[in-house]
Amino acid sequence: MRSPTWRVCPAALCTTCTRRAASSSRPAGAAAKPFGARFEQRVLTAADDAQQRLLAVVDVLDAWVGSERFRRDQALSARPSFAPELREDDLRDHLAEIERFANGLATAAQLRAPDEFGAFVTTLVAGAAAWFDRREAARAASIAVVERLVAQRR
C-alpha cells in the first residue's frame, strides 16, 4: 500500500485510484491521460510564445473547471495523507509535478521568480473547486496576477 489514504478508501475508489496511477505511465496514444498530462499538453499547444503560455494556463484551467471532466475529476479527488515522503502521497506528488511544469513555463518566459508562478499555478489547480461558482471573477483575478508577474520580468 502506498499511503494511509489507500487503506481507508472504499474498494471502488481504490480501483479507480489504482487505474489513475497506472495511467500516468501509459504510452502516447493510449486511453485516458491523467490531469497533469492533459493540462501540460493543452498549455503547450495553446501558444508558441513563452509569455502567452503563462496566460494559457489560466485559460486551460478555466476550460477544465467548466467541463464535465472536472466534475468526474473532483469525484475522484483524494485528500493528501501528508506522508513524510512525497512519493507516498499521490495528491502531493501530482501537485509537485504541476509545480515543476509551471516553474519551467515561468523560466522559459524569463520571469524574475519562477517559483512564485509555480506556487500560484499549483494553488489554482489544488483550489479549482473554488472556481466553480465564481469562474469569471477567478479567471479575471488570475489573469491579473499573471500579468503582474510578467511585468516584473528579469
Side-chain angles (χ1 to χ4, degrees):
M1 300 221 166
R2 295 180 67 176
S3 71
T5 304
W6 290 82
R7 281 178 269 200
V8 296
C9 66
L13 182 57
C14 283
T15 301
T16 304
C17 291
T18 303
R19 203 171 44 246
R20 179 186 162 268
S23 71
S24 64
S25 60
R26 286 185 181 149
K33 293 181 180 177
F35 170 76
R38 291 189 320 266
F39 179 72
E40 288 180 21
Q41 182 179 24
R42 288 190 175 129
V43 168
L44 293 174
T45 59
D48 292 329
D49 179 71
Q51 288 184 16
Q52 290 302 313
R53 283 184 174 161
L54 302 179
L55 293 169
V57 166
V58 176
D59 292 337
V60 170
L61 186 68
D62 183 48
W64 174 56
V65 171
S67 73
E68 181 58 35
R69 177 162 211 125
F70 176 74
R71 288 165 192 75
R72 290 192 309 266
D73 288 348
Q74 291 304 298
L76 297 175
S77 288
R79 291 189 173 160
S81 68
F82 298 106
E85 294 197 31
L86 209 57
R87 64 181 165 71
E88 295 176 4
D89 188 322
D90 285 340
L91 178 61
R92 289 172 50 224
D93 186 47
H94 170 69
L95 292 174
E97 288 177 26
I98 297 290
E99 184 175 26
R100 280 189 293 275
F101 172 68
N103 285 348
L105 291 175
T107 299
Q110 299 180 344
L111 293 190
R112 183 181 304 154
D115 56 323
E116 286 181 13
F117 184 74
F120 172 69
V121 171
T122 304
T123 303
L124 288 182
V125 171
W131 275 52
F132 191 77
D133 292 322
R134 52 195 69 74
R135 277 180 62 201
E136 189 175 323
R139 184 179 189 288
S142 297
I143 287 173
V145 168
V146 172
E147 288 173 342
R148 180 186 60 82
L149 291 171
V150 168
Q152 297 175 349
R153 287 182 60 202
R154 295 179 186 167

